[in-house]
Amino acid sequence: MKVFTRWFGFRFAPDSIPAHLRRDPLAVVSSLIIMIMILSAIFAPLLTSRAAEGLGEPNPSEKLAPPSAAHIFGADHLGRDLYARVLFGGRTALGMGFLIVFGAVLIGAPLGAIAGYFGGWLDEVIMRVTDVALAFPPLLLAIAIASALGPNLTNAAIAIALTWWPWYTRIVRAQALALRERPFIEAAHVIGVGNFTIIARHILPNVLSPVIVQATLDLGSAILTAAALSFLGLGVQPPTPDWGQMVSTGRIYFPQRWWYVTFPGTAIFIATMAFNLLGDSVQDANK
Amino acid sequence: MALLEVRSLVKHYPVRVGLFSRRQAKAVDDVNLTVNPGETIGIVGESGSGKTTLARCILRMIEPTSGEVIFDGVDLLKLGQSSLRTKRRELAVVYQNPYLSLSPRLAVRDLVSEPLVTHTSLRGDALNDRVVENLEAVGLSADYLNKRSRQLSGGQAQRVAIARALVLRPKLIVLDEPTSALDVSVQAQVLNLLVKLRTELGFTYLFISHNLDVVQHLADRIAVMYLGKVVEVGTTDQVFSQATHPYTMALLAATPEPHPDRKASLVTVQGSVPSLTAPPTGCHYHPRCQWAVERCRHEMPALRLDEDRRAVRCHFPREYFQASKKFE
């Protein structure tokens, strides 16, 4: 963190946000849920005695066992404990979510800063490409890219990130356009600082707040989209635990074995909901 | 040889008037200026006189319409981007408002080291030492290294801006109203600091201000600007004790002097600054000049050069000077 601050010259979160958020009950609840999810994903092996099953080892004798004291969420078609599967699935979901959003910011933010800072034809070219990218329905584009790259976790994340970067480009461009006229940018220019150093040191750190807001909002949808891609068989492949893929397999057994889809489905719902609510609150607090 | 020579510098802005017609706003109109090494030249004028635009043209923060800016033997306006960037090492600026000109997210350490990182290969401890050394030169200490501009007072922030400007020991420092955004109590401190740095390090200043008192404190020579043109040039003593242009006289009279015997001067500026897009005919100052005659309405006076680099843009300079003396 210290190195980070020294390099880029900014602190990670704007000071004003937490104070506002503490007064917002929705924000408190949603951050608590997110915190619990993150912690349970990290410490998943400590929270279940069936870690091996969670990671994919079959247990044929317990096939499709209903919820009980031994399996509080029941068991899946290979007899694996669903509680363990959902717990480890959280790692995939959150990992994918962060990977997607991080990738989208990594592509989108520099492009937006370049477009806004330089203006002119470069701006035109970048923004027209963004418009084209935005014209495709995101899931459709992700499906196309994922099937072209081959189905696995990384490719799914890349595919979704490739459909999302334009939003960050737009946000950052608007900010960069306003920042470009600020005296401290001119001051850096007069010192002789190069254009790309100005973008990295003086523009990007100052567009961080709106990007964080958008990223928080997007995390929910990223998890949802990743689950959708897995549901369609283009995302995470078995035996890696993943909520979308669990719902996909489980739906054949519905409604007789209702637990198979219900628990992973609820997990997707809660995760998406929590990130969306937090995103909304952060957005309101930032206004 | 002069360190900086500005030759017939012009900056016109196209301004839209009405739906289809455009006019030129002559923000800087045919300005000539010489700055010698070690000298401090003050540029004075009210808002809209073009003094800041002139500075921005010299620094190529904006591209002038025409003219030459010979700095250190090279015409800055003819330099390509990369050689200009190298040349910027020799030029520095201190702006009016330090809170706006210092990047809000950067720590003092990074603000002051930025010119060094850009133009030298100093890194690590050597860089840090150089930063501290320069902070101490402006009266701050190593305690400020990790502060951000919003955590500093106006005077402290401006000191950081000055440290940032002098860290490379540039040949010319442009001071664009460096004290006008500060509290009166701090203004004097900053001015004294600038004087001290000039004595110790031999800097050349181009000092822009609307405040004659401040300029008098610092400048060796003064150029008075009005509506994009230089109307009077002289040494500080000449301008203050024997102003020859009615506008300079009015500016001097407008500065209150805390002395009970001094009566309000009879020379006043009437009306307000005319529009840059439609400047008055003849002498630009004639609508506000109490001595304007027919000739002033039709004919723009040339910048008359007297001995010892004294110049004035008025048809009847000495006569008015004497006339006003008579009234006093």
Side-chain angles (χ1 to χ4, degrees):
Chain A
M1 196 63 176
K2 205 176 170 200
V3 174
F4 196 66
T5 314
R6 280 284 286 284
W7 280 5
F8 296 102
F10 56 83
R11 289 179 305 167
F12 199 62
D15 325 309
S16 56
I17 290 179
H20 284 280
L21 289 185
R22 253 175 273 137
R23 268 178 258 129
D24 183 350
L26 267 182
V28 175
V29 173
S30 52
S31 357
L32 264 176
I33 294 175
I34 291 167
M35 214 103 86
I36 292 169
M37 282 197 319
I38 293 175
L39 289 176
S40 56
I42 294 171
F43 299 109
L46 304 175
L47 296 171
T48 172
S49 52
R50 299 167 181 269
E53 287 177 29
L55 288 168
E57 189 178 296
N59 181 13
S61 59
E62 307 272 309
K63 228 158 135 181
L64 291 167
S68 65
H71 303 288
I72 52 169
F73 288 0
D76 70 6
H77 65 296
L78 295 174
R80 299 173 294 196
D81 182 44
L82 268 175
Y83 166 67
R85 294 288 287 169
V86 169
L87 209 55
F88 279 93
R91 289 184 161 185
T92 319
L94 290 173
M96 286 276 279
F98 284 115
L99 206 64
I100 291 164
V101 170
F102 189 70
V105 171
L106 216 60
I107 305 169
L111 277 177
I114 290 169
Y117 177 75
F118 287 106
W121 64 269
L122 201 55
D123 183 26
E124 281 300 316
V125 170
I126 292 175
M127 291 326 286
R128 291 302 79 79
V129 173
T130 352
D131 285 347
V132 170
L134 278 173
F136 289 102
L139 192 58
L140 213 62
L141 190 60
I143 290 171
I145 299 171
S147 46
L149 293 174
N152 69 47
L153 192 146
T154 337
N155 287 350
I158 292 173
I160 301 169
L162 281 177
T163 66
W164 271 3
W165 62 268
W167 295 106
Y168 293 98
T169 307
R170 290 190 149 196
I171 294 169
V172 172
R173 174 182 174 267
Q175 298 280 320
L177 219 52
L179 279 171
R180 184 170 67 164
E181 308 297 329
R182 297 273 292 275
F184 66 86
I185 301 289
E186 267 191 342
H189 193 72
V190 170
I191 283 175
V193 182
N195 286 325
F196 286 99
T197 315
I198 290 183
I199 289 176
R201 281 175 62 103
H202 298 277
I203 303 255
L204 286 177
N206 285 297
V207 299
L208 208 65
S209 312
V211 167
I212 288 176
V213 173
Q214 185 64 31
T216 321
L217 267 171
D218 280 354
L219 266 168
S221 343
I223 292 171
L224 193 64
T225 315
L229 222 52
S230 298
F231 180 85
L232 295 171
L234 291 164
V236 180
Q237 297 302 305
T240 313
D242 177 82
W243 297 340
Q245 180 243 315
M246 285 155 85
V247 172
S248 170
T249 325
R251 98 201 120 98
I252 316 165
Y253 305 97
F254 192 77
Q256 288 82 7
R257 318 280 202 255
W258 55 270
W259 54 88
Y260 199 162
V261 288
T262 307
F263 293 108
T266 313
I268 296 172
F269 169 74
I270 293 175
T272 311
M273 196 71 180
F275 278 113
N276 262 320
L277 289 177
L278 182 67
D280 274 342
S281 305
V282 173
Q283 194 163 37
D284 290 343
N286 219 26
K287 262 176 196 154
Chain B
M1 199 186 72
L3 176 65
L4 174 76
E5 216 180 324
V6 178
R7 286 187 199 144
S8 19
L9 194 76
V10 176
K11 176 66 189 176
H12 289 181
Y13 285 106
V15 177
R16 203 184 268 271
V17 262
L19 198 55
F20 298 108
S21 51
R22 274 162 185 274
R23 258 197 230 134
Q24 300 290 317
K26 299 176 177 178
V28 172
D29 198 8
D30 194 20
V31 167
N32 292 282
L33 198 71
T34 311
V35 185
N36 295 310
E39 180 181 56
T40 295
I41 182 148
I43 298 184
V44 184
E46 19 181 6
S47 328
S49 60
K51 50 193 196 303
T52 297
T53 311
L54 172 66
R56 290 165 61 89
C57 285
I58 292 172
L59 296 160
R60 262 184 87 176
M61 288 160 88
I62 47 177
E63 295 297 325
T65 312
S66 64
E68 285 174 19
V69 176
I70 317 285
F71 174 72
D72 207 14
V74 193
D75 188 351
L76 290 184
L77 304 185
K78 290 207 175 69
L79 287 181
Q81 282 304 324
S82 65
S83 39
L84 177 66
R85 204 141 66 210
T86 321
K87 201 75 193 161
R88 288 197 183 283
R89 187 192 168 133
E90 312 288 349
L91 288 157
V93 202
V94 177
Y95 303 85
Q96 183 171 1
N97 188 337
Y99 296 114
L100 297 179
S101 67
L102 300 175
S103 217
R105 301 230 176 225
L106 291 187
V108 168
R109 173 201 308 279
D110 300 312
L111 288 167
V112 179
S113 64
E114 189 165 44
L116 290 167
V117 172
T118 308
H119 291 288
T120 71
S121 52
L122 272 186
R123 296 294 182 273
D125 285 346
L127 178 69
N128 200 57
D129 292 347
R130 186 71 70 84
V131 170
V132 173
E133 198 178 287
N134 280 281
L135 281 179
E136 280 164 359
V138 297
L140 299 175
S141 65
D143 300 342
Y144 291 87
L145 282 176
N146 293 317
K147 293 212 166 25
R148 266 145 249 275
S149 61
R150 57 158 184 259
Q151 294 167 293
L152 304 173
S153 73
Q156 289 166 345
Q158 195 61 299
R159 281 166 196 269
V160 170
I162 293 171
R164 190 168 137 95
L166 65 88
V167 73
L168 282 172
R169 303 289 180 268
K171 289 188 175 143
L172 177 71
I173 301 185
V174 175
L175 304 161
D176 187 1
E177 309 235 17
T179 58
S180 35
L182 303 176
D183 289 347
V184 181
S185 55
V186 184
Q187 286 187 7
Q189 290 175 19
V190 170
L191 285 178
N192 289 334
L193 172 67
L194 290 171
V195 172
K196 188 191 111 189
L197 292 171
R198 182 179 57 185
T199 332
E200 285 172 5
L201 302 166
F203 286 129
T204 309
Y205 291 153
L206 182 70
F207 190 96
I208 295 166
S209 180
H210 61 263
N211 186 333
L212 279 168
D213 278 347
V214 168
V215 174
Q216 187 181 21
H217 194 71
L218 215 64
D220 302 314
R221 283 196 305 131
I222 292 178
V224 180
M225 284 188 72
Y226 184 75
L227 237 59
K229 285 185 179 296
V230 172
V231 293
E232 180 157 9
V233 178
T235 65
T236 305
D237 281 347
Q238 284 169 341
V239 171
F240 272 84
S241 59
Q242 20 175 302
T244 48
H245 195 283
Y247 178 63
T248 316
M249 284 150 70
L251 275 186
L252 287 170
T255 315
E257 216 170 288
H259 195 278
D261 293 339
R262 192 177 185 273
K263 292 190 185 70
S265 169
L266 286 169
V267 190
T268 51
V269 190
Q270 298 149 2
S272 54
V273 190
S275 159
L276 274 174
T277 50
T281 54
C283 172
H284 286 348
Y285 189 63
H286 87 257
R288 302 170 77 184
C289 177
Q290 51 186 308
W291 294 292
V293 295
E294 200 49 34
R295 187 179 168 202
C296 305
R297 282 182 252 282
H298 301 300
E299 194 185 325
M300 160 64 79
L303 199 64
R304 296 215 300 225
L305 289 157
D306 287 1
E307 68 289 350
D308 46 313
R309 295 196 322 207
R310 184 119 168 83
V312 62
R313 192 185 287 280
C314 181
H315 289 306
F316 314 102
R318 298 274 184 228
E319 298 157 44
Y320 289 121
F321 169 62
Q322 273 136 23
S324 77
K325 273 285 174 211
K326 236 177 272 166
F327 282 117
E328 247 174 22

